[in-house]
Amino acid sequence: MGMRPPTGLPSLSRRSRTLLVLALVLAALLLIGPRLVDTYTDWLWFGEVGFRNVFTTVLLTRVITFLVVALLVGGTVFGALTVAYRSRPVFVPTAGPNDPIARYRTTVMSRLRVFGIGIPVVIGLLSGLVAQGNWVTVQMFLHGGSFGVQDPQFNLDVGFYAFDLPFYRSILNWLFVAVVIAFFAALVTHYIFGGLRLSGREGALTKSARIQLAVLAGTFVVLKAVAYWFDRYALLSSSRKEPTFTGPGFTDINAVLPAKLILLAIAVICAGAFFAAIFLRDLRIPALATALLVLSSILVGAVWPLVVEQFSVRPNAADKERAYIERNIEATRAAYGITDDTVTYEDYTGVGSASPRDVPADQTTIANTRLLDPNVLSRTFTQQQQLKNFYGFPSTLDVDRYEIDGQLQDYIVAARELSPNSLTGNQTDWINRHTVYTHGNGFVAAPANRVNAAVQDATSTESNSNSGYPIYTVSDLASQAADDQVIPVEQPRIYYGEVIASSNPDYAIVGGSEGSDGREYDTDTSRYTYTGSGGVSIGNWFNRLAFAAKYTERNILFSGAIGDDSKIIFNRDPRERVQKVAPWLTADGNSYPAVVGGKIVWIVDAYTTLDQYPYAQRSSLEGLVQDSIDANTGRLLPRDEVSYIRNSVKATVDAYDGSVNLYQVDDNDPVLAAWMGAFPGAVQPESAISDELRQHFRYPEDLFKVQREMLAKYHVNDPGEFFTNNAFWSVPSDPTVEGGTNLNQPPYYVLIGDPDTGQPSFRLTSAMVGFNRELLSAYISVRSDPEGYGEFTVLQLPTDTQTQGPQQAQNSMTSDTRVASDRTLLQQSNRIQYGNLLTLPIANGGILYVEPLYTERNTTNTSTFPQLSRVLVSYREPGAGGGVRVGYAATLAEALDQVFGSGTGSVATAPGGEATEPQPDNGSSTGTTSAPTEGSATTPPSTSAAPAAPVDRTAAVNNLNSALAAVRTAQQSGDFAQLGTAFDNLQRAIDQYNSTGG
């Protein structure tokens, strides 16, 4: 019976080939087209913001990296295939007419170019596409310098580990890829063309096949030897000792490190065995070498370190690891910027030894105590200052400070932005959405320590409808026209912002044909045409076509609203703009608005980071910056794992024209120096920062959260104590969140009195509790003032302290009889929300807790919003075993009087302290209310109350009992007025009892 000869792939007709080619071209356009469009529009955008050199440098680096790796991998594979094919046997015996290898051989022979060139090209392209993402490693290697710090093990500069080692390991990895793929390509080729046969009794491997495979295998083992050499340096970032510390421990240095050298020597010997197979036909030698390498890697590389760890280190871990913990402590402090140069530790008793009225710094602290919580008041700002439904504020407001009439005051600030997601009805039409409603209007600020009037009866709806709200200072078009701006703004229109960018897509089309009337909504009686430098021109049809493709929107092509002078504004989130122009930086999770030079600008903090700082603790930014605020707002967070971080760049984004400026604020950061070498001119020197702009720089929250987590452990100097963990601190959980949470309490910006001068100092602060305890252990603050910016002060409480931490203080305040009873009444018709629990050091050793309480009507009406109703205060009494005093009142002044005695509250009502007088038109959505002209106090006058007349102890006890009985009677009667009077009498009785020393 006849047999069909081996056949190759079925042939295609000319029509089929044409259709196939067209399909491939269409697929390529669908895959590559959007990328080309994005590249072109990005090129235009980078030109708009003046950072096109960043775009071209990154693109060029990516292209060169792509080509080099593609040629390396693809060329190596091509060479292996070529050598294997040309050295094939002349005669190849077959296993019969049905030999499947013969069929494959025929197919390959009929399409040599497809297989011989196509396979290397595809592999090379895929490798290049993966490698081009490593452009950061390439640029860091080309421009990286030295740190001036040597590691304690190899005495190499840290710059080697930061800039050089990642590049060398990247090259080594791609060489591995090239050799491995080339080996298997040669192996398959020899198999197809008969150089390698799996059947038969002799001649299983031809000489040429043996030589080629031996060379490739030997090269692989040589590369493995080189990898063992570099693995030695990678040990300095070992995570073997997690969670105790990062970096090599005793086992790594005394077992793993020698093992790497032993394995390196064995790898060299094995490579020699493979190369010997070139001359020897006996393949048992390379086989034995392979077995030796595998066995030694198991025994020497894994088993031996495990034995040392189990039987030598663990029984004596504290002593064995001591030297390596010291290295970890020193390196971590340096990597996270918490060395003794920047951190000052001070002993703090936790018990006050003076009256706050007699300490100038305390007078300033109390006068500037922040009662407005930026995380609570967004809806209050929206309801009272929104003006139009299409304006809005971010869900979390910001804190900044301004000097008004010579007085420094912290403010809750927000930009009144366009809120595209709030557009309704015909407002959502494409024309309206993208060409009419294009910008926001104004800057809104409210003194952080004041409300318009105190809420006297929180259970009453009518009497307090206009109380407990911020005192707004507004700078917008209306106030500009009236020349009535406390914080002057020359251009209040906002085209770039956080809320504006919440829409997807977030573009706006501005401008139009020359001579055309304005189209953009400005006020109810006026229209506006954008005149700023922001935006990309779409006056020509090519650009219109590109953006129509980018946003898949045909209206961009055909709309008559677009003229020769039209521009498209996009990428409007300030944080994303900074991240885009400086992709080597990690932007902070929050940007905040400030008025600088009459302009509204967004300030964005940016970090340089490394993930391989020798011996330094590695940490996940995503985990360390999480707290209850982030959970509520969904704030974007960096997700990198780092072992080095610096806030070396401050960035600004103009809210009107979108211009981005990067400023260097740390000239000692080698990482930033490397990037400035890679992108010359992208970052401006520190001398370019104006004094007014510097006044608004804040120490960034995300960096502070990372550093406080490090300080929780790395304030410990003794390695033995570090190993036991008993001196560690913990970040307290947020006590203000109902239902319990494991999320950290966020840090808070506060204006506190400087202990030396009494002047207000703007600081970012956090309380710290004992390790897995709730008692206060430390208080961390860092300065944001231009003088002393970035200087940490850590107040350390005694280890046996009984000072309450935030969670305990919250429990003490909420469990107080007055608070609990009032809360029961309030909850009948209100939703209650606790504001930020501030921890304030006062009284030369004491700790004052202050917490605002907000109420909001329990209705289905969405227009309800929080108002400040009560202030809670907690303070530990002086003396051994002193109890905790709790103040609870409508104003901070009254609450302080309850805690410290009559007279202390006058400090809070000093110039700049909390305001209680009603302000006209505060609730009006269109009105502008200026802050009181006195501003905030720097050194408020000391007000001492006259000492109370002596009270008999027995009489005081009787009065206290009578007052308690009156409270119980009032509670049973349900008469709220009677209950309030009873509580006032009870407080007076408590004060009398305390004055007797009871």
Side-chain angles (χ1 to χ4, degrees):
M1 178 169 53
M3 301 294 294
R4 288 188 303 173
T7 59
L9 294 175
S11 59
L12 298 175
S13 65
R14 184 175 181 179
R15 181 182 179 184
S16 298
R17 286 197 298 269
T18 302
L19 292 175
L20 179 60
V21 170
L22 290 176
L24 291 175
V25 171
L26 180 61
L29 289 176
L30 291 175
L31 291 174
I32 302 175
R35 180 61 62 92
L36 293 177
V37 169
D38 287 341
T39 300
Y40 177 68
T41 55
D42 283 347
W43 182 78
L44 294 174
W45 183 85
F46 274 94
E48 170 213 334
V49 294
F51 283 83
R52 188 164 286 167
N53 65 317
V54 173
F55 176 84
T56 55
T57 300
V58 172
L59 181 62
L60 185 62
T61 307
R62 287 180 180 271
V63 170
I64 293 176
T65 304
F66 168 83
L67 292 175
V68 169
V69 173
L71 290 174
L72 171 67
V73 178
T76 303
V77 174
F78 176 77
L81 289 174
T82 302
V83 171
Y85 175 74
R86 290 185 176 181
S87 62
R88 69 190 185 281
V90 177
F91 174 75
V92 182
T94 61
N98 292 325
D99 187 357
I101 301 303
R103 179 175 300 176
Y104 296 142
R105 188 182 305 119
T106 302
T107 301
V108 173
M109 289 295 292
S110 63
R111 292 175 175 82
L112 276 178
R113 291 186 178 181
V114 173
F115 290 96
I117 298 178
I119 290 177
V121 168
V122 171
I123 293 175
L125 290 176
L126 293 176
S127 300
L129 287 174
V130 174
Q132 57 87 28
N134 293 330
W135 69 270
V136 170
T137 302
V138 175
Q139 286 292 344
M140 293 277 275
F141 172 76
L142 293 176
H143 298 94
S146 64
F147 276 65
V149 177
Q150 293 182 334
D151 78 90
Q153 183 61 39
F154 300 108
N155 296 318
L156 296 175
D157 189 271
V158 172
F160 169 78
Y161 301 92
F163 307 127
D164 301 339
L165 184 59
F167 181 75
Y168 296 146
R169 292 179 68 89
S170 178
I171 292 178
L172 190 61
N173 289 337
W174 285 113
L175 288 174
F176 269 122
V177 170
V179 171
V180 169
I181 296 178
F183 178 85
F184 284 104
L187 187 68
V188 172
T189 302
H190 282 297
Y191 178 67
I192 291 176
F193 288 98
L196 170 64
R197 295 188 300 275
L198 302 179
S199 60
R201 304 181 64 180
E202 58 183 36
L205 192 65
T206 63
K207 179 180 178 180
S208 57
R210 184 182 76 249
I211 292 173
Q212 183 180 11
L213 296 177
V215 169
L216 290 172
T219 303
F220 175 84
V221 180
V222 169
L223 293 176
K224 188 63 180 175
V226 176
Y228 283 133
W229 178 262
F230 286 120
D231 285 347
R232 297 161 56 247
Y233 303 119
L235 281 177
L236 298 196
S237 297
S238 169
S239 58
R240 178 189 292 269
K241 293 299 177 181
E242 289 284 7
T244 306
F245 64 94
T246 300
F250 181 90
T251 302
D252 294 300
I253 298 301
N254 295 279
V256 178
L257 183 58
K260 296 294 183 183
L261 293 174
I262 294 172
L263 291 172
L264 186 154
I266 294 174
V268 171
I269 294 173
C270 293
F274 278 103
F275 290 130
I278 298 174
F279 309 100
L280 303 176
R281 296 188 59 182
D282 192 350
L283 296 180
R284 289 177 295 181
I285 294 177
L288 290 174
T290 303
L292 175 62
L293 185 60
V294 172
L295 183 62
S296 59
S297 64
I298 295 174
L299 296 178
V300 180
V303 176
W304 170 242
L306 183 62
V307 171
V308 172
E309 179 74 19
Q310 293 293 332
F311 297 101
S312 178
V313 176
R314 290 197 175 182
N316 310 284
D319 294 330
K320 294 284 188 180
E321 305 289 10
R322 185 178 185 86
Y324 308 102
I325 293 176
E326 286 181 348
R327 295 179 178 182
N328 174 249
I329 292 174
E330 182 179 0
T332 301
R333 290 176 175 176
Y336 289 92
I338 51 174
T339 59
D340 292 339
D341 295 337
T342 56
V343 182
T344 301
Y345 296 91
E346 298 178 4
D347 293 331
Y348 200 75
T349 62
V351 179
S353 59
S355 170
R357 291 170 293 178
D358 302 330
V359 182
D362 293 350
Q363 298 172 22
T364 303
T365 299
I366 292 174
N368 290 283
T369 299
R370 179 158 58 82
L371 301 178
L372 302 185
D373 188 344
N375 305 293
V376 174
L377 293 176
S378 175
R379 285 185 295 114
T380 303
F381 269 55
T382 299
Q383 290 294 330
Q384 296 185 332
Q385 291 296 328
Q386 185 181 24
L387 295 184
K388 297 292 182 180
N389 72 289
F390 44 82
Y391 291 142
F393 297 95
S395 56
T396 296
L397 307 179
D398 291 293
V399 181
D400 197 5
R401 70 280 198 203
Y402 288 85
E403 189 171 316
I404 307 297
D405 296 329
Q407 304 291 337
L408 187 66
Q409 170 73 57
D410 56 344
Y411 285 81
I412 306 300
V413 298
R416 186 192 286 135
E417 300 183 52
L418 175 74
S419 178
N421 294 329
S422 299
L423 297 172
T424 60
N426 196 49
Q427 292 174 338
T428 61
D429 179 80
W430 185 87
I431 286 289
N432 289 330
R433 186 181 187 92
H434 294 288
T435 68
V436 176
Y437 300 113
T438 59
H439 58 275
N441 174 21
F443 180 82
V444 181
N449 64 337
R450 309 181 192 181
V451 292
N452 61 342
V455 174
Q456 297 300 332
D457 184 1
T459 62
S460 172
T461 303
E462 298 299 329
S463 62
N464 295 293
S465 59
N466 292 315
S467 303
Y469 296 121
I471 305 170
Y472 297 104
T473 295
V474 181
S475 302
D476 57 8
L477 289 170
S479 62
Q480 189 182 46
D483 194 22
D484 187 28
Q485 295 184 350
V486 176
I487 303 176
V489 174
E490 299 172 2
Q491 179 52 270
R493 298 176 181 89
I494 299 169
Y495 284 83
Y496 298 85
E498 298 172 309
V499 178
I500 292 174
S502 62
S503 172
N504 186 25
D506 70 341
Y507 66 89
I509 296 175
V510 297
S513 301
E514 185 176 352
S516 62
D517 296 333
R519 178 180 296 275
E520 304 171 54
Y521 174 86
D522 216 29
T523 68
D524 288 343
T525 58
S526 65
R527 293 295 180 266
Y528 182 73
T529 298
Y530 182 71
T531 60
S533 60
V536 173
S537 173
I538 52 173
N540 62 77
W541 282 97
F542 188 81
N543 284 1
R544 291 176 71 169
L545 179 62
F547 283 100
K550 178 182 178 69
Y551 294 113
T552 61
E553 179 55 67
R554 65 178 182 273
N555 286 318
I556 296 178
L557 279 177
F558 304 115
S559 175
I562 302 176
D564 296 337
D565 298 326
S566 293
K567 295 192 289 186
I568 184 169
I569 292 175
F570 61 108
N571 292 337
R572 297 207 277 175
D573 187 327
R575 181 181 181 275
E576 291 182 1
R577 288 178 77 83
V578 172
Q579 191 74 72
K580 199 172 183 68
V581 302
W584 66 90
L585 295 173
T586 299
D588 189 85
N590 182 38
S591 55
Y592 59 98
V595 177
V596 180
K599 297 181 178 180
I600 301 174
V601 298
W602 295 91
I603 299 178
V604 183
D605 291 286
Y607 312 118
T608 55
T609 60
L610 293 174
D611 58 0
Q612 296 291 340
Y613 192 98
Y615 279 99
Q617 187 75 21
R618 297 185 70 181
S619 56
S620 170
L621 287 184
E622 180 183 12
L624 293 184
V625 302
Q626 277 186 336
D627 55 34
S628 58
I629 291 180
D630 299 317
N632 292 334
T633 64
R635 178 182 297 172
L636 293 173
L637 302 173
R639 301 192 176 193
D640 302 322
E641 190 173 70
V642 303
S643 60
Y644 173 95
I645 186 169
R646 288 289 187 277
N647 176 215
S648 298
V649 174
K650 298 282 189 179
T652 63
V653 178
D654 192 291
Y656 181 70
D657 62 30
S659 58
V660 181
N661 290 291
L662 307 178
Y663 299 102
Q664 178 185 13
V665 292
D666 185 350
D667 55 5
N668 296 316
D669 181 9
V671 181
L672 179 60
W675 288 122
M676 292 177 70
F679 303 98
V683 181
Q684 301 180 45
E686 190 169 8
S687 58
I689 303 174
S690 67
D691 292 337
E692 185 178 1
L693 175 59
R694 193 183 295 275
Q695 293 289 336
H696 292 282
F697 285 166
R698 307 185 315 187
Y699 200 83
E701 289 184 63
D702 285 351
L703 176 61
F704 182 80
K705 293 171 190 175
V706 172
Q707 290 174 318
R708 74 174 175 179
E709 194 74 31
M710 293 298 116
L711 284 170
K713 296 171 60 176
Y714 289 94
H715 69 278
V716 178
N717 293 312
D718 182 68
E721 198 171 21
F722 186 97
F723 185 81
T724 61
N725 296 354
N726 62 358
F728 286 176
W729 302 328
S730 296
V731 178
S733 58
D734 191 346
T736 66
V737 179
E738 296 289 339
T741 176
N742 292 323
L743 294 171
N744 292 337
Q745 182 185 36
Y748 298 122
Y749 290 104
V750 295
L751 265 179
I752 61 177
D754 185 271
D756 298 324
T757 65
Q759 299 295 315
S761 176
F762 191 64
R763 305 195 183 200
L764 185 57
T765 64
S766 176
M768 303 293 285
V769 295
F771 188 61
N772 292 332
R773 301 172 68 224
E774 293 298 340
L775 292 170
L776 191 68
S777 292
Y779 179 78
I780 302 175
S781 67
V782 60
R783 295 178 67 106
S784 291
D785 308 308
E787 302 80 15
Y789 179 90
E791 294 180 359
F792 281 81
T793 300
V794 180
L795 305 180
Q796 297 186 99
L797 278 70
T799 56
D800 59 349
T801 180
Q802 295 299 310
T803 303
Q804 290 185 338
Q807 198 71 247
Q808 294 174 322
Q810 176 80 2
N811 292 336
S812 295
M813 291 187 293
T814 56
S815 62
D816 183 88
T817 305
R818 296 164 296 167
V819 179
S821 299
D822 208 11
R823 180 187 174 96
T824 300
L825 298 175
L826 288 173
Q827 285 180 325
Q828 295 177 6
S829 57
N830 294 271
R831 290 192 295 270
I832 292 179
Q833 184 172 358
Y834 292 105
N836 37 223
L837 176 58
L838 301 181
T839 306
L840 303 173
I842 64 168
N844 293 342
I847 294 293
L848 176 69
Y849 288 101
V850 178
E851 182 177 44
L853 185 149
Y854 298 89
T855 58
E856 181 179 354
R857 290 298 163 190
N858 255 332
T859 67
T860 57
N861 190 346
T862 58
S863 65
T864 61
F865 46 94
Q867 65 180 149
L868 176 65
S869 294
R870 292 290 183 264
V871 179
L872 295 87
V873 171
S874 173
Y875 182 75
R876 179 185 175 188
E877 293 179 335
V884 175
R885 297 177 183 173
V886 174
Y888 177 70
T891 66
L892 175 62
E894 296 175 74
L896 290 173
D897 282 343
Q898 294 173 8
V899 170
F900 295 104
S902 178
T904 304
S906 62
V907 176
T909 56
E914 60 174 350
T916 56
E917 68 276 7
Q919 301 294 324
D921 298 330
N922 179 64
S924 173
S925 62
T926 58
T928 300
T929 304
S930 300
T933 56
E934 62 266 20
S936 67
T938 53
T939 54
S942 175
T943 304
S944 301
V951 180
D952 180 75
R953 183 180 180 84
T954 303
V957 172
N958 292 334
N959 290 339
L960 187 60
N961 290 334
S962 300
L964 287 172
V967 169
R968 287 192 291 269
T969 302
Q971 286 177 323
Q972 293 172 358
S973 68
D975 188 334
F976 296 150
Q978 181 182 351
L979 181 61
T981 302
F983 275 131
D984 291 339
N985 294 334
L986 175 61
Q987 184 59 51
R988 282 192 289 269
I990 293 174
D991 293 339
Q992 289 178 345
Y993 179 78
N994 290 334
S995 67
T996 66

